[in-house]
Amino acid sequence: MTPLRKNIAVLPGDGIGPEVTRAAVDILQDCASAFGHHFDFRELPFGGAAIDACGAPLPEETLAGCRASDAILLGAIGGPKWEALPLGTRPEAGLLGLRQQLDLYINLRPIRLRPALRGISPLRLERLEGCDFEIIRELAGDIYFGEHTLRGMGRDAQASDVAAYSAAEVERVARYAFERARARKRRLTSVDKANVLATSTLWRQTVTALAREYPGVTVDHLYVDNAAMQILLRPSQFDVILTGNLFGDILSDEAAALAGSIGLIPSMSRGRDGEPALYEPIHGSAPTLAGKDVACPLGAIFSATLMLRESFGLDAESEWIEAAIDRVLDSGFRTADIAEPGGRAVGGSEFTARIRSELKAVPAGRERSGAGA
Ligand code: IPM
Ligand code: MG
């Protein structure tokens, strides 16, 4: 085994962000000690917390720290305190700025159900059979990054948001999705609104042309309205879903609900090979839960295990942590959001402590560690 040294930038952000990232960092530390790796964590201000401390949601220092890191762990951002600020100066602008500055054009959101949590899915069990897919959302273009205008007052007010894609932008994210599908069940579903939108027409043409390079991958195209319905009707049909920035934002919340709670789903945002990727739970900052020790840390912890696999090539380490989580869930412990009616809910810190003691109970064997990257 080659012990790894990695620098991880930690952006706790707002609301429940700091508590869930703390849990993920503790578990990454346990992993480093168990496997002989060394992770250096550098905490940096971001989002609303950075507006309060430094006057901007993405301070220079934070951007530079992220660029210099091997990977970035982010909590969550935003809250009512900053909602009155103009659009481009709010905490969300920090997140969009970071995505843009680091050119994080791929966003991966794995929809995997934990066996012990199938009962909390809003879908009937038989519909969940075989449900295990990934959403790949384009993250650096689309209506998110076109010009936004809001002019005038009252009934004369007018607003517009420009949606734009170039073929090159579509192709680079589509290529990643094809590669991903090729390594999985070889099915790619591209989601667009090509019956109405020009950007979607370009999207579909580009994906169709690229498909020729991947003859082993079966490609379907769905309109986004139908895709939203199919995710509920028959989620097992999906392997890799590829879609644009706005549709991906919406469909990934819907798909997360299938897993039982949005609090469980991690994400990776990445750009070119060799550049630092960013890992964050897809849930928001949940300001009403902040500081009450009720938030579920699993979205953040699964973001950490995704980091171990995707950025550091540490598959065994990642599996070791996820197996401990499954054992804690099997023994019936839950945070409030994932508790079944009448079930026992513990606080976020006790839940994390239980995972950590499971990690101690089944120590990592040196022979089980990953190859490293
Ligand atoms: C997400 C979030 C963000 C987005 C917000 C916070 C800007 O909803 O990561 O899904 O819309 O991309
Ligand atoms: Mg979202």
Side-chain angles (χ1 to χ4, degrees), residues 103-140:
D103 198 20
L104 304 174
Y105 63 91
I106 297 162
N107 182 233
L108 173 83
R109 300 185 166 185
I111 307 298
R112 251 183 85 189
L113 290 97
R114 308 315 299 184
L117 295 181
R118 295 170 78 87
I120 62 166
S121 171
L123 280 198
R124 287 203 301 272
L125 285 182
E126 64 269 23
R127 295 219 164 161
L128 290 174
E129 208 46 60
C131 169
D132 172 6
F133 61 94
E134 293 185 343
I135 297 182
I136 294 175
R137 166 188 177 195
E138 198 288 330
L139 201 64

Coordinates of all heavy atoms in Angstrom, one line a residue, residues 103-140:
D103 N -14.1 25.7 -13.4 CA -14.6 25.0 -14.6 C -15.1 23.6 -14.3 O -14.8 22.6 -14.9 CB -13.6 25.0 -15.7 CG -14.2 24.7 -17.1 OD1 -15.5 24.9 -17.2 OD2 -13.5 24.3 -18.0
L104 N -16.0 23.6 -13.2 CA -16.5 22.3 -12.8 C -17.7 22.0 -13.7 O -18.8 22.3 -13.3 CB -16.9 22.4 -11.3 CG -15.8 22.8 -10.4 CD1 -16.4 23.0 -8.9 CD2 -14.7 21.8 -10.3
Y105 N -17.5 21.4 -14.8 CA -18.6 21.3 -15.8 C -19.4 20.0 -15.6 O -20.4 19.8 -16.3 CB -18.1 21.5 -17.2 CG -17.1 20.5 -17.7 CD1 -17.5 19.3 -18.3 CD2 -15.7 20.7 -17.5 CE1 -16.6 18.4 -18.8 CE2 -14.8 19.8 -17.9 CZ -15.2 18.6 -18.6 OH -14.3 17.7 -19.0
I106 N -18.8 19.0 -14.9 CA -19.5 17.8 -14.6 C -20.0 17.7 -13.2 O -19.3 17.9 -12.3 CB -18.5 16.6 -14.8 CG1 -18.0 16.5 -16.2 CG2 -19.2 15.3 -14.4 CD1 -16.7 15.7 -16.4
N107 N -21.3 17.4 -13.1 CA -21.8 17.1 -11.7 C -22.4 15.7 -11.7 O -23.4 15.4 -12.4 CB -22.9 18.2 -11.4 CG -23.5 18.1 -10.0 OD1 -24.7 18.0 -9.8 ND2 -22.6 18.1 -9.0
L108 N -21.9 14.9 -10.8 CA -22.4 13.5 -10.7 C -23.2 13.4 -9.4 O -22.7 13.7 -8.3 CB -21.1 12.6 -10.6 CG -21.4 11.2 -10.3 CD1 -21.8 10.4 -11.6 CD2 -20.2 10.5 -9.7
R109 N -24.4 12.8 -9.5 CA -25.2 12.6 -8.4 C -25.7 11.1 -8.4 O -26.6 10.8 -9.1 CB -26.4 13.6 -8.3 CG -25.9 15.0 -8.3 CD -26.9 16.1 -8.2 NE -26.3 17.3 -7.8 CZ -26.9 18.5 -7.5 NH1 -28.2 18.5 -7.5 NH2 -26.2 19.5 -7.1
P110 N -25.1 10.3 -7.6 CA -25.4 8.9 -7.6 C -26.7 8.7 -6.8 O -26.8 9.1 -5.7 CB -24.2 8.2 -6.9 CG -23.4 9.2 -6.3 CD -23.9 10.6 -6.7
I111 N -27.7 7.9 -7.4 CA -28.9 7.6 -6.7 C -28.9 6.1 -6.3 O -29.2 5.3 -7.1 CB -30.1 7.9 -7.5 CG1 -30.1 9.4 -8.1 CG2 -31.4 7.7 -6.8 CD1 -30.1 10.5 -7.0
R112 N -28.4 5.9 -5.1 CA -28.2 4.5 -4.6 C -29.0 4.4 -3.3 O -28.9 5.2 -2.5 CB -26.8 4.2 -4.3 CG -26.1 3.3 -5.3 CD -24.7 3.1 -4.9 NE -24.6 2.0 -4.0 CZ -23.5 1.7 -3.3 NH1 -22.4 2.4 -3.5 NH2 -23.4 0.7 -2.5
L113 N -29.8 3.3 -3.2 CA -30.6 3.1 -2.0 C -29.8 2.3 -1.0 O -29.2 1.3 -1.4 CB -31.9 2.4 -2.3 CG -32.8 3.3 -3.1 CD1 -32.8 3.1 -4.6 CD2 -34.2 3.1 -2.6
R114 N -29.8 2.7 0.3 CA -29.1 1.8 1.3 C -30.2 0.8 1.6 O -31.4 1.1 1.8 CB -28.8 2.6 2.5 CG -28.0 3.9 2.4 CD -26.8 3.8 1.5 NE -25.8 2.9 1.8 CZ -24.6 2.8 1.1 NH1 -24.4 3.6 0.0 NH2 -23.7 1.9 1.4
P115 N -29.7 -0.5 1.7 CA -30.7 -1.6 1.9 C -31.6 -1.3 3.1 O -32.8 -1.5 3.1 CB -29.8 -2.8 2.1 CG -28.5 -2.5 1.5 CD -28.4 -1.0 1.5
A116 N -31.0 -0.8 4.2 CA -31.8 -0.7 5.5 C -32.9 0.5 5.3 O -33.8 0.6 6.2 CB -30.9 -0.4 6.6
L117 N -32.7 1.3 4.3 CA -33.6 2.5 4.2 C -34.7 2.4 3.2 O -35.3 3.3 2.9 CB -32.7 3.7 4.0 CG -31.8 4.1 5.1 CD1 -31.0 5.4 4.7 CD2 -32.5 4.3 6.4
R118 N -34.8 1.2 2.6 CA -35.8 1.1 1.5 C -37.2 1.4 2.0 O -38.0 2.0 1.2 CB -35.8 -0.4 0.9 CG -34.5 -0.7 0.3 CD -34.4 -2.2 0.0 NE -35.2 -2.5 -1.2 CZ -34.7 -2.4 -2.5 NH1 -33.4 -2.0 -2.7 NH2 -35.4 -2.7 -3.5
G119 N -37.5 1.1 3.2 CA -38.8 1.4 3.8 C -39.2 2.9 3.8 O -40.4 3.2 3.9
I120 N -38.2 3.8 3.8 CA -38.6 5.2 3.9 C -38.7 5.8 2.5 O -39.1 7.0 2.4 CB -37.6 6.0 4.7 CG1 -36.2 6.0 4.1 CG2 -37.6 5.6 6.2 CD1 -35.3 7.1 4.7
S121 N -38.5 5.1 1.5 CA -38.7 5.6 0.1 C -40.2 5.9 -0.1 O -41.0 5.0 0.4 CB -38.2 4.7 -1.0 OG -38.6 5.1 -2.2
P122 N -40.6 7.0 -0.7 CA -42.1 7.1 -1.0 C -42.6 6.2 -2.0 O -43.8 6.1 -2.2 CB -42.1 8.6 -1.5 CG -40.8 8.9 -2.0 CD -39.8 8.1 -1.2
L123 N -41.7 5.5 -2.7 CA -42.2 4.5 -3.7 C -42.4 3.1 -3.0 O -41.7 2.8 -2.1 CB -41.2 4.3 -4.8 CG -41.1 5.3 -5.9 CD1 -40.4 4.8 -7.1 CD2 -42.5 5.8 -6.3
R124 N -43.3 2.4 -3.6 CA -43.5 1.0 -3.2 C -42.3 0.2 -3.4 O -41.6 0.4 -4.5 CB -44.7 0.4 -3.9 CG -46.1 1.0 -3.4 CD -47.2 0.0 -3.7 NE -47.3 -0.4 -5.1 CZ -48.0 0.4 -6.0 NH1 -48.7 1.4 -5.6 NH2 -48.1 0.0 -7.3
L125 N -42.0 -0.8 -2.6 CA -40.8 -1.6 -2.7 C -40.6 -2.2 -4.0 O -39.5 -2.2 -4.6 CB -40.8 -2.7 -1.6 CG -40.5 -2.2 -0.2 CD1 -40.4 -3.3 0.8 CD2 -39.2 -1.4 -0.1
E126 N -41.7 -2.7 -4.6 CA -41.5 -3.5 -5.9 C -41.0 -2.5 -7.0 O -40.3 -2.9 -7.9 CB -42.7 -4.3 -6.3 CG -44.0 -3.5 -6.6 CD -44.9 -3.3 -5.4 OE1 -44.4 -3.4 -4.2 OE2 -46.1 -3.0 -5.6
R127 N -41.4 -1.2 -6.9 CA -40.9 -0.3 -7.9 C -39.4 0.1 -7.7 O -38.8 0.6 -8.6 CB -41.7 1.0 -7.8 CG -43.2 0.8 -8.1 CD -43.7 1.9 -8.9 NE -45.0 1.5 -9.6 CZ -45.9 2.2 -10.0 NH1 -45.8 3.5 -9.9 NH2 -47.0 1.7 -10.5
L128 N -38.9 -0.2 -6.5 CA -37.5 0.2 -6.3 C -36.5 -0.9 -6.7 O -35.3 -0.6 -6.7 CB -37.3 0.4 -4.7 CG -38.0 1.7 -4.2 CD1 -37.9 1.7 -2.7 CD2 -37.4 2.9 -4.8
E129 N -37.1 -2.0 -7.0 CA -36.2 -3.2 -7.4 C -35.3 -2.7 -8.5 O -35.7 -2.2 -9.5 CB -37.1 -4.3 -7.8 CG -36.6 -5.7 -7.6 CD -35.9 -5.9 -6.3 OE1 -36.6 -5.8 -5.2 OE2 -34.7 -6.2 -6.2
G130 N -34.0 -2.9 -8.3 CA -33.0 -2.6 -9.4 C -32.7 -1.1 -9.6 O -32.1 -0.7 -10.6
C131 N -33.2 -0.3 -8.7 CA -33.0 1.1 -8.8 C -31.6 1.5 -8.3 O -31.3 1.4 -7.2 CB -34.1 1.9 -8.0 SG -33.7 3.7 -7.8
D132 N -30.7 1.9 -9.2 CA -29.3 2.3 -8.9 C -28.8 3.0 -10.2 O -28.5 2.4 -11.2 CB -28.5 1.0 -8.7 CG -27.0 1.4 -8.5 OD1 -26.6 2.6 -8.5 OD2 -26.2 0.4 -8.4
F133 N -28.9 4.3 -10.1 CA -28.5 5.1 -11.3 C -27.7 6.3 -10.9 O -27.6 6.7 -9.7 CB -29.7 5.4 -12.2 CG -30.7 6.3 -11.6 CD1 -30.7 7.7 -11.8 CD2 -31.8 5.7 -10.9 CE1 -31.8 8.4 -11.3 CE2 -32.8 6.5 -10.3 CZ -32.8 7.9 -10.5
E134 N -27.1 7.0 -11.9 CA -26.4 8.2 -11.7 C -26.9 9.3 -12.6 O -27.2 9.1 -13.7 CB -24.9 8.0 -12.1 CG -24.2 7.0 -11.2 CD -22.7 6.9 -11.5 OE1 -22.2 7.3 -12.6 OE2 -22.0 6.4 -10.6
I135 N -27.0 10.5 -12.0 CA -27.4 11.6 -12.8 C -26.1 12.4 -13.1 O -25.3 12.7 -12.2 CB -28.4 12.5 -12.1 CG1 -29.7 11.7 -11.9 CG2 -28.7 13.8 -12.9 CD1 -30.8 12.5 -11.2
I136 N -25.9 12.7 -14.4 CA -24.8 13.6 -14.7 C -25.3 14.8 -15.3 O -26.0 14.9 -16.3 CB -23.8 12.9 -15.7 CG1 -23.2 11.7 -15.0 CG2 -22.7 13.8 -16.2 CD1 -22.3 10.8 -15.8
R137 N -25.1 15.9 -14.5 CA -25.7 17.2 -14.8 C -24.6 18.1 -15.3 O -23.6 18.2 -14.6 CB -26.3 17.7 -13.5 CG -26.7 19.2 -13.5 CD -27.1 19.6 -12.1 NE -27.3 21.0 -12.0 CZ -27.4 21.8 -10.9 NH1 -27.3 21.2 -9.7 NH2 -27.7 23.1 -11.0
E138 N -24.8 18.7 -16.4 CA -23.9 19.7 -16.9 C -23.9 20.9 -15.9 O -25.0 21.3 -15.5 CB -24.3 20.2 -18.3 CG -23.2 20.9 -19.1 CD -22.8 22.3 -18.6 OE1 -23.7 23.0 -18.0 OE2 -21.7 22.7 -18.7
L139 N -22.8 21.4 -15.5 CA -22.8 22.4 -14.4 C -22.2 23.7 -14.7 O -22.3 24.6 -13.8 CB -22.0 21.7 -13.2 CG -22.3 22.2 -11.8 CD1 -23.8 21.9 -11.4 CD2 -21.4 21.6 -10.8
A140 N -21.7 24.0 -15.9 CA -21.0 25.3 -16.1 C -21.7 26.1 -17.1 O -21.2 27.2 -17.5 CB -19.6 25.0 -16.4

